[in-house]
Amino acid sequence: MKYAVLSPNQMLICFDHSEQVAEYCLRVDNHELNEYAEDQEYTYETMTPTEIGQLYTEVGAVYGGCQIYETRDILEMLKEQGADQAYIDKANELFNSSSLNNEIRCPGFLEDVLGEITPICPAQMTDGIYFMRNIDSPREEKDNG
């Protein structure tokens, strides 16, 4: 499966594996967090864990975070919207090109389509480790009593 990731500054990059996507999103989010903290003159050393959590929320509200899409969903949406075959071919070629191993400015014709697709949440790509259902799931161990 191939993923396209749109960063908060409208840069597009593709990955083949969900682990790469999660790593990239974490790196971008941490960069935005550090810049925002510096701009606001916050220092992590003097902040409580609650304040750092609030900082993450503020940064998410200001920057929005990365948006993750499956490339096949983008191609399907282009088809559904009746896009010219040339645009569909151009998008497909772009997704399979080595040029998207590095960030590029998101092409305008893709920006419109991405606005019509619900992005994948980064937590969905990490095998559910951030979902509450793991906390309440039954234990595999049994008491010996």
Side-chain angles (χ1 to χ4, degrees):
M1 187 167 310
K2 201 163 187 87
Y3 301 95
V5 181
L6 185 65
S7 70
N9 60 354
Q10 300 303 303
M11 299 300 283
L12 187 69
I13 188 168
C14 276
F15 297 100
D16 291 322
H17 306 287
S18 61
E19 298 83 21
Q20 296 168 309
V21 173
E23 183 180 313
Y24 172 81
C25 291
L26 182 62
R27 188 175 67 239
V28 168
D29 289 347
N30 284 341
H31 174 75
E32 298 295 344
L33 181 73
N34 291 335
E35 283 201 354
Y36 186 78
E38 186 178 309
D39 287 346
Q40 300 298 316
E41 298 180 1
Y42 296 138
T43 56
Y44 297 117
E45 295 80 17
T46 62
M47 297 176 73
T48 66
T50 301
E51 291 171 328
I52 292 172
Q54 290 171 339
L55 181 61
Y56 270 101
T57 302
E58 285 178 41
V59 170
V62 172
Y63 295 105
C66 291
Q67 297 176 351
I68 306 163
Y69 306 92
E70 288 185 19
T71 56
R72 68 176 180 203
D73 291 342
I74 298 170
L75 295 171
E76 286 176 20
M77 182 59 74
L78 282 166
K79 290 175 187 172
E80 286 177 21
Q81 291 186 341
D84 288 340
Q85 188 62 42
Y87 284 119
I88 296 169
D89 293 342
K90 186 175 180 179
N92 194 30
E93 186 177 306
L94 183 65
F95 295 147
N96 292 306
S97 162
S98 62
S99 68
L100 265 183
N101 290 339
N102 298 308
E103 295 177 321
I104 64 166
R105 176 73 44 203
C106 185
F109 76 95
L110 285 180
E111 284 182 3
D112 295 338
V113 172
L114 295 179
E116 299 295 321
I117 302 172
T118 302
I120 299 169
C121 175
Q124 290 174 296
M125 306 200 71
T126 57
D127 294 329
I129 60 171
Y130 296 112
F131 295 122
M132 292 299 289
R133 68 175 177 243
N134 287 349
I135 294 171
D136 295 329
S137 65
R139 293 186 318 175
E140 303 236 350
E141 304 174 6
K142 305 262 186 217
D143 291 333
N144 288 336

